[in-house]
């Protein structure tokens, strides 16, 4: 099957319809060549090729490298990204092809960014040891520092629960919450110490996170802030990011094992609550995971510089080669018909159009 590459000029039609879970989780570019996309089956069975996704990319073309890290579709049709190296919230407009940078404060180094239910961008800012909120479209920045005396948390990612509060992870060994009504920030030591990384909300508003160093996933008791560990079926797998599908099943990108796995909380915590699929390609390392509005699972795979599309119904992978070497896609988010990718290795933004 062939991957259709779109010209990298701005889109002529506005982008609308931000998905609920995304809200609760550059100059014109250059055309790239036609790419091939291989099909792989988790069951080693023949696959019927779906319609070819369409790929479009733009270089950021900022004066200096931003260190683009995570990405989140904005309510206005633009796309936010965390500029970890330069200390900004970035905003890219796919209609005009332009990028804007909003300074977050002295020493800022943001890692994660998501769109909040309030229409603002929320970021985990490791440089400031704080959560940052950027109101939109006013661009007003408010910083929520971690409690006084909290050591460097190495803040990672964040997600909104069903009550509208923000939960976040810190790789140094912390899980915390911002009460968005009072502005109070609380932090707890995470079980088993360092490692908290990806975090997500389910459709019911529950919060799950994973530990890269600890190789487990965990569900947060939203009343106490305590975390209940659930052990994946593969030991030492390096759970890096998590995302929920529409049924509340938790999909996990496993960096060390090269697996994409799924935990179904409705089946308890035993081995039968897990399904595991080896990613295609040589020595795969699966970094990010995202489930779109059709419950198709997307993952970034670093060893082979590819995006993976996984259909839970057929249990088949589709490998989509990325157009630039060493793309280093660290997060995936989207809205209906669009899957957005930040290429931290190239300073490009890419969208896969699926509709």
């Amino acid at each position: 099957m062939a991957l259709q590459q779109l010209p990298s000029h701005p889109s002529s039609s506005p982008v609308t319809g931000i998905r609920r879970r995304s809200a609760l989780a550059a100059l014109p570019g250059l055309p790239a060549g036609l790419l091939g996309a291989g099909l792989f089956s988790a069951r080693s069975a023949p696959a019927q090729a779906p319609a070819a996704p369409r790929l479009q990319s733009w270089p950021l073309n900022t004066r200096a490298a931003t260190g683009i890290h995570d990405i989140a579709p904005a309510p206005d049709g633009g796309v936010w990204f965390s500029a970890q190296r330069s200390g900004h919230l970035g905003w890219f407009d796919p209609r005009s092809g332009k990028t804007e940078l909003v300074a977050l404060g002295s020493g800022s180094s943001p890692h994660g960014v998501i769109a909040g239910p309030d229409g603002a961008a929320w970021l985990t800012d490791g440089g400031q040891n704080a959560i940052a909120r950027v109101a939109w479209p006013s661009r007003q920045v408010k910083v929520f520092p971690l409690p006084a005396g909290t050591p460097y948390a190495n803040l990672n990612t964040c997600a909104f629960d069903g009550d509208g509060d923000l939960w976040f992870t810190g790789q140094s060994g912390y899980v915390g919450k911002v009460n968005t009504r009072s502005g109070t920030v609380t932090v707890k030591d995470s079980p088993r110490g360092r490692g908290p990384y990806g975090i997500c909300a389910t459709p019911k508003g529950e919060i799950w996170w994973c530990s890269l160093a600890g190789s487990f996933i965990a569900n947060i008791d939203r009343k106490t802030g305590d975390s209940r560990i659930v052990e994946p079926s593969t030991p030492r797998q390096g759970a890096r990011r998590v995302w929920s599908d529409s049924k509340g099943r938790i999909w996990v990108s496993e960096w060390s094992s090269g697996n994409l796995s799924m935990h179904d909380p409705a089946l308890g915590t035993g081995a039968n609550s897990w399904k595991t699929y080896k990613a295609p390609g040589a020595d795969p390392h699966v970094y990010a995971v995202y489930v779109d509005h059709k419950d198709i699972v997307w993952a970034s795979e670093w060893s082979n510089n590819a995006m993976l599309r996984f259909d839970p119904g057929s249990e088949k992978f589709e490998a989509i080669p990325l157009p630039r070497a060493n793309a280093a896609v660290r997060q995936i988010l989207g809205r209906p018909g669009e899957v957005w990718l930040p290429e931290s290795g190239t300073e490009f933004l890419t969208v896969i159009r699926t509709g």
Side-chain angles (χ1 to χ4, degrees):
M1 113 181 221
L3 176 67
Q4 183 178 354
Q5 178 79 21
L6 292 178
S8 298
H9 52 71
S11 172
S12 59
S13 60
V15 182
T16 58
I18 183 167
R19 59 174 302 191
R20 175 183 176 274
R21 280 185 291 177
S22 294
L24 290 169
L27 297 175
L30 302 175
L34 192 66
L35 301 173
L39 286 175
F40 299 83
S41 170
R43 292 176 170 173
S44 300
Q48 180 66 41
R54 298 167 294 158
L55 190 70
Q56 187 175 11
S57 299
W58 299 262
L60 294 179
N61 279 349
T62 49
R63 292 183 178 181
T66 67
I68 181 173
H69 200 285
D70 282 13
I71 196 169
D76 59 5
V79 182
W80 288 317
F81 62 90
S82 55
Q84 190 174 50
R85 184 181 302 180
S86 64
H88 294 89
L89 168 69
W91 180 73
F92 173 74
D93 183 0
R95 293 161 293 196
S96 66
K98 294 182 179 180
T99 296
E100 177 185 344
L101 298 177
V102 179
L104 298 176
S106 177
S108 173
S109 181
H111 184 288
V113 61
I114 60 172
D118 56 357
W122 291 76
L123 302 101
T124 46
D125 193 331
Q128 299 191 85
N129 215 32
I131 303 300
R133 175 186 183 272
V134 182
W136 210 259
S138 70
R139 276 73 165 168
Q140 182 178 1
V141 178
K142 182 175 176 59
V143 175
F144 299 84
L146 300 193
T150 305
Y152 172 65
N154 194 6
L155 291 170
N156 198 273
T157 46
C158 54
F160 281 93
D161 68 14
D163 296 321
D165 290 326
L166 183 80
W167 295 84
F168 57 86
T169 57
Q171 278 196 83
S172 297
Y174 300 97
V175 177
K177 181 180 85 168
V178 179
N179 184 311
T180 55
R181 289 164 293 283
S182 67
T184 302
V185 182
T186 54
V187 174
K188 282 202 169 191
D189 292 339
S190 61
R192 301 186 189 172
R194 69 183 186 89
Y197 209 93
I199 192 168
C200 72
T202 70
K204 292 184 178 180
E206 297 301 319
I207 298 294
W208 288 79
W209 60 275
C210 63
S211 175
L212 175 60
S215 286
F216 62 81
I217 68 173
N219 177 225
I220 292 178
D221 183 324
R222 290 156 53 194
K223 293 182 179 179
T224 66
D226 294 333
S227 297
R228 176 181 60 91
I229 289 176
V230 176
E231 300 283 2
S233 55
T234 303
R236 299 179 298 279
Q237 78 296 131
R240 190 147 205 166
R241 302 248 184 178
V242 287
W243 203 262
S244 173
D245 63 19
S246 66
K247 300 175 182 178
R249 300 178 302 183
I250 307 302
W251 291 85
V252 187
S253 55
E254 298 180 359
W255 176 255
S256 301
S257 69
N259 294 333
L260 176 67
S261 66
M262 183 272 288
H263 167 63
D264 187 348
L267 299 178
T269 60
N272 69 331
S273 71
W274 286 89
K275 287 189 175 182
T276 300
Y277 309 94
K278 188 71 172 183
D283 188 28
H285 286 77
V286 186
Y287 195 115
V289 62
Y290 165 71
V291 185
D292 69 19
H293 69 295
K294 294 182 178 180
D295 273 349
I296 296 298
V297 185
W298 299 83
S300 60
E301 199 282 286
W302 279 34
S303 295
N304 300 284
N305 197 45
M307 282 293 299
L308 303 178
R309 179 188 183 276
F310 181 77
D311 184 341
S314 65
E315 296 188 312
K316 295 177 175 61
F317 283 102
E318 174 191 349
I320 304 172
L322 292 167
R324 284 158 295 280
N326 304 313
V329 173
R330 299 177 185 271
Q331 188 191 32
I332 312 163
L333 276 176
R335 49 191 157 214
E338 299 179 348
V339 177
W340 282 90
L341 319 173
E343 297 186 23
S344 65
T346 66
E347 291 279 306
F348 269 71
L349 277 173
T350 291
V351 63
I352 300 174
R353 303 193 190 279
T354 62

